[in-house]
Each structure stands twice: as structure tokens, then as C-alpha cells.
């Protein structure tokens, strides 16, 4: 390989690494770990970095790993982040390397993200003498909890990295391998979590008039909350309020003392976020008053929107399109899904790239028990992120 031809190095190294990275991905897929439990995964990452001679720190944000590749010339520091955690979903793919752990699955492709960044690490290590600056490799826990990035930052990952630009990525099952997506500005929404407890009074199912029924209140509240986005948010703005949990009662003939609801609010603008939160609190109090229960409402800010810097995004898109050819990078639409890479982009100019992972003949969705991304996205991801890194360090 010619040292002065990084494009060829990237292509050839990515192709050479593909079998090993697929094998590694399948091992991680078979042994998924939830947020802040990624002990085995982090151990594999650390071992791979050691094999490559890449200095690293472990235990950041409990299970996060930070590695450094020092370039041969002075320049900025680029932070590249991949997430490692799985989801509490029971896998139903039937694949030979399916999860061996009941109720846990890599249903969002973070196993692919982890090995993609390991491939990028190996490629950039090869190119290190010609790199201008250094690369900080962040293997992050607990993205699905929207808490891992903040935990790593609290443990000093940004103080150690001293990065001036950051790059994140995610597999995209609506794009074929070899194609990529981008969104200028806010690509993912900010997220708030809410919990509502409805305190009633237990009693016999045959005598509801002698009790105060929190299940009735919960049913009315779930319905009423859906009116916030439908009737209070400007339809030209974006917002989603979803109740994802509802817990009440243990026995069919007993009215319980309490019902509990939990969910999320997704928005792009603080004004919309504040409107939705205020409406949620008002409606919870109103339903409580009308049904005689007592409402206890808690709203927690999780992450802000993930915003790509236009100048950084333009350089990433240009580099990837140059590598893969015209039409390979497509402008997409923002998603109301949240992404805690936002914790980095609020502090450092950065960009977030979508990497096509759609398998032939499939129309998969993330967070699905039958999610089967195309493993060719590992090779294309290694190439795209490596090429973008060279551009951002140029």
C-alpha cells in the first residue's frame, strides 16, 4: 500500500478487516449487554486496542473506553464516538448468532457501531504517521438510557480528549450499504422523561364506590395527554408525547391504591418543550381532580437535540461522497428519536452521519425483535468514518 495514497489504504484495509469485524460483531451480538452493564463488551474493546498498540483508558462512565491515536504531525483532536449497549428486547431473528441472553438484544445495531469504530481505529493506526493531530476513540455505554455520554463526560472524557471537533454515526435501515444520510442542524430531537403516580384508595372490585380508582384515572389521563400534541402544539412544529409504561394492580378483583405511568416527550425547540411539559402537568392535575385521585408528576430532562455544525457536516459529506461517488450521500429528514451524542455536539462542533444498513429484501426498523442489518455496512462504515476523519484532521 502506498503511504501517500490514503484512499487506497482505507479501501484495502476495510476489505481485509471485514471477516474479522463480522466475526467480532457476531460475538458481541450473541452476548448483548444493557446500559452500564457492558463489562464484557468493554473488555473486548480494550483488548483490541491493546492488540493495536493504542493507548486507552477504561472505566469512564462506569464501562466506557477512551483510546488515542497520535498523528505524526501537529493538528487538532477529533473525537469519534460509538455506542455499545443493547436493548431489553427478546430476539426473534432465528439467526445462528442470535442473542444467547433472554430479554436482551442488539436491536439498534450498536454491536455494528462498536466493531465499525474498532475497524476505523485499525485503519487510522495504519495512517497515523501522516495524520495531522490525533484521534480520540470513544466507546460509550448506555446510549439507550440517554445517560452514557453524560456519565463519561462527568468522568472527564472531554478533559482527557481536549477535542476540537466530534463525529458520530448510526446505522440506517432505510438506506442500502454504500449509501449515507445526513441532516443539517438538528437531526435528532431532544428528549424528556416523565413519571406520573396516581394515588387512589384500594377496595373491592364489587364496591368501587367505596374506593378511589387510579386505573380509571390512568385510562382517562393516557387519552387526555394525546390531545396536547394534537390540539396545543403548532402543527408546523414537531413534538411527540408517548406513554410507554402503565402499571396498576395485581389482582383482578381488587382496585389498587396506585397507578404509575411513564413516557417520553420529544421536541426540537425549547418553547415547544416547555409548552408540552406545562400542559402535561396541567392535564394530570385536572384528571386527578375529576377522578378524586392525587397526581404526583415528575419530568426529567434527558438530552437536548443533536445538532450538527453546518461547516463540519459539509466537510464530512464532501469527504464521504468523494470516496463513494456522486449520489452516495443523501440529505435526509430529522428524526424525533433522541441520541445522547447530543451531549458532545452541545460542547464541541460536530456531525452525525447515517450509514446505510438495509439488508436486501428487508424493511427493518430499529428497536425491533427481528432487526437484521446488513453486515456490509461495517465495511462501508469503516471507510466512511475513516475518510471523514482524514478530512476533519486535514
Amino acid at each position: 500500500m502506498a503511504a501517500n495514497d490514503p484512499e487506497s489504504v482505507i479501501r484495502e484495509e476495510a476489505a481485509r478487516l471485514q471477516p474479522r469485524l463480522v466475526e467480532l460483531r457476531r460475538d458481541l451480538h450473541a452476548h448483548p449487554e444493557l446500559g452500564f452493564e457492558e463489562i464484557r463488551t468493554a473488555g473486548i474493546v480494550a483488548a483490541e486496542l491493546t492488540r493495536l498498540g493504542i493507548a486507552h483508558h477504561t472505566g469512564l462512565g462506569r464501562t466506557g473506553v477512551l483510546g488515542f491515536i497520535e498523528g505524526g504531525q501537529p493538528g487538532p483532536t477529533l473525537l469519534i464516538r460509538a455506542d455499545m449497549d443493547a436493548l431489553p428486547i427478546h430476539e426473534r431473528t432465528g439467526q445462528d448468532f442470535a442473542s444467547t441472553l433472554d430479554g436482551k438484544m442488539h436491536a439498534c445495531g450498536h454491536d455494528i457501531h462498536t466493531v465499525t469504530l474498532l475497524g476505523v481505529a485499525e485503519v487510522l493506526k495504519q495512517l497515523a504517521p501522516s495524520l495531522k493531530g490525533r484521534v480520540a476513540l470513544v466507546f460509550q455505554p448506555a446510549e439507550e438510557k440517554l445517560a452514557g455520554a453524560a456519565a463519561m463526560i462527568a468522568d472527564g472524557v472531554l478533559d482527557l480528549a481536549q477535542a476540537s471537533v466530534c463525529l458520530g454515526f448510526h446505522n440506517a435501515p432505510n438506506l442500502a450499504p454504500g449509501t449515507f444520510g445526513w441532516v443539517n442542524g438538528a437531526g435528532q430531537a431532544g428528549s424528556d422523561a416523565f413519571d406520573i403516580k396516581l394515588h387512589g384508595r384500594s377496595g373491592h372490585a364489587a364496591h368501587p364506590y367505596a374506593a378511589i380508582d387510579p386505573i380509571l384515572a390512568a385510562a382517562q389521563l393516557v387519552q387526555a395527554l394525546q390531545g396536547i400534541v394534537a390540539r396545543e402544539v403548532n402543527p408546523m412544529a414537531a413534538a411527540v408525547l408517548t406513554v410507554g409504561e402503565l402499571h396498576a394492580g395485581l389482582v383482578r378483583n381488587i382496585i389498587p391504591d396506585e397507578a404509575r405511568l411513564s413516557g417520553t416527550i420529544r421536541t426540537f425547540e425549547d418553547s415547544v418543550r416547555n409548552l408540552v411539559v406545562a400542559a402535561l402537568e396541567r392535564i394530570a392535575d385536572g384528571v386527578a381532580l375529576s377522578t378524586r385521585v392525587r397526581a404526583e408528576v415528575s419530568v426529567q430532562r434527558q438530552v437536548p437535540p443533536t445538532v450538527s455544525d453546518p461547516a463540519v457536516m459539509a466537510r464530512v459529506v464532501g469527504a464521504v461522497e468523494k470516496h463513494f461517488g456522486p449520489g452516495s450521500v443523501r440529505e435526509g429528514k430529522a428524526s424525533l428519536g433522541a441520541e445522547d451524542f447530543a451531549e458532545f455536539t452541545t460542547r464541541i462542533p460536530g456531525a452525525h452521519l447515517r450509514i446505510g444498513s438495509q439488508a436486501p429484501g428487508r424493511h427493518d426498523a430499529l428497536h425491533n425483535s427481528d432487526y437484521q442489518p446488513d453486515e456490509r455496512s461495517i465495511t462501508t462504515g469503516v471507510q466512511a468514518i475513516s475518510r471523514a476523519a482524514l478530512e476533519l484532521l486535514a
Side-chain angles (χ1 to χ4, degrees):
M1 289 178 251
N4 61 350
D5 183 13
E7 294 270 359
S8 296
V9 173
I10 289 171
R11 286 193 174 89
E12 292 171 23
E13 279 295 285
R16 180 183 70 82
L17 292 171
Q18 174 74 352
R20 174 175 173 77
L21 294 178
V22 167
E23 180 183 7
L24 193 57
R25 179 258 166 165
R26 293 184 177 187
D27 177 67
L28 294 179
H29 190 88
H31 302 90
E33 295 173 301
L34 302 182
F36 295 127
E37 298 175 4
E38 307 94 338
I39 296 170
R40 182 180 185 274
T41 304
I44 289 172
V45 167
E48 287 294 301
L49 295 180
T50 297
R51 179 181 67 82
L52 295 171
I54 295 174
H56 57 276
H57 304 264
T58 59
L60 296 171
R62 292 162 65 175
T63 51
V65 181
L66 169 65
F68 286 107
I69 298 173
E70 301 291 341
Q73 303 175 52
T77 296
L78 165 65
L79 183 154
I80 311 176
R81 175 274 213 166
D83 36 19
M84 303 186 294
D85 56 323
L87 283 158
I89 293 176
H90 186 76
E91 181 162 353
R92 302 189 186 280
T93 64
Q95 293 180 310
D96 293 341
F97 53 91
S99 172
T100 58
L101 304 173
D102 287 346
K104 298 180 182 181
M105 177 191 175
H106 272 294
C108 199
H110 294 185
D111 49 343
I112 282 183
H113 300 172
T114 300
V115 300
T116 295
L117 188 53
L118 286 172
V120 170
E122 190 152 357
V123 170
L124 295 183
K125 182 67 174 176
Q126 287 267 5
L127 295 170
S130 61
L131 290 182
K132 298 177 180 178
R134 66 174 184 164
V135 180
L137 306 161
V138 174
F139 296 86
Q140 182 208 299
E143 189 281 328
E144 297 295 355
K145 295 179 183 290
L146 298 178
M152 290 194 77
I153 291 169
D155 275 358
V157 69
L158 294 182
D159 296 327
L160 291 166
Q162 293 295 304
S164 55
V165 65
C166 62
L167 178 60
F169 58 94
H170 203 291
N171 72 102
N174 63 321
L175 296 171
T179 58
F180 306 86
W182 65 282
V183 178
N184 230 349
Q188 285 81 30
S191 179
D192 295 281
F194 65 84
D195 299 283
I196 304 174
K197 290 183 180 179
L198 300 173
H199 302 277
R201 185 172 66 233
S202 59
H204 199 293
H207 308 291
Y209 52 85
I212 298 177
D213 190 348
I215 294 180
L216 175 64
Q220 292 186 18
L221 182 56
V222 171
Q223 291 274 36
L225 291 178
Q226 300 312 308
I228 297 174
V229 174
R231 285 296 177 267
E232 298 193 39
V233 175
N234 186 326
M236 302 306 292
V240 167
L241 185 154
T242 298
V243 177
E245 293 183 71
L246 174 54
H247 305 280
L250 296 172
V251 182
R252 71 177 69 232
N253 65 343
I254 298 175
I255 293 171
D257 284 308
E258 180 182 285
R260 292 179 290 113
L261 299 81
S262 296
T264 64
I265 300 165
R266 309 298 178 97
T267 56
F268 288 107
E269 304 169 37
D270 279 342
S271 61
V272 177
R273 182 245 178 198
N274 295 338
L275 182 155
V276 174
V277 169
L280 178 143
E281 293 171 341
R282 185 191 75 240
I283 290 171
D285 287 341
V287 169
L289 181 63
S290 68
T291 57
R292 300 182 296 147
V293 302
R294 177 173 63 84
E296 182 182 340
V297 181
S298 173
V299 180
Q300 308 89 40
R301 183 74 174 190
Q302 291 183 300
V303 293
T306 302
V307 180
S308 291
D309 180 273
V312 177
M313 192 81 252
R315 296 181 69 186
V316 169
V317 168
V320 174
E321 188 165 51
K322 180 180 178 182
H323 189 83
F324 285 91
S328 58
V329 189
R330 306 167 185 176
E331 185 171 7
K333 295 180 180 180
S335 166
L336 279 156
E339 162 66 80
D340 78 348
F341 185 61
E343 299 287 3
F344 295 106
T345 60
T346 57
R347 294 167 170 85
I348 309 167
H352 195 262
L353 185 70
R354 298 171 182 176
I355 298 173
S357 61
Q358 183 179 49
R362 295 188 63 85
H363 300 281
D364 284 305
L366 301 173
H367 291 214
N368 184 276
S369 61
D370 192 35
Y371 184 47
Q372 298 180 45
D374 194 319
E375 291 176 325
R376 291 177 297 169
S377 62
I378 299 171
T379 300
T380 58
V382 169
Q383 293 182 65
I385 300 304
S386 298
R387 183 63 187 85
L390 293 188
E391 171 62 28
L392 293 176
L393 292 173

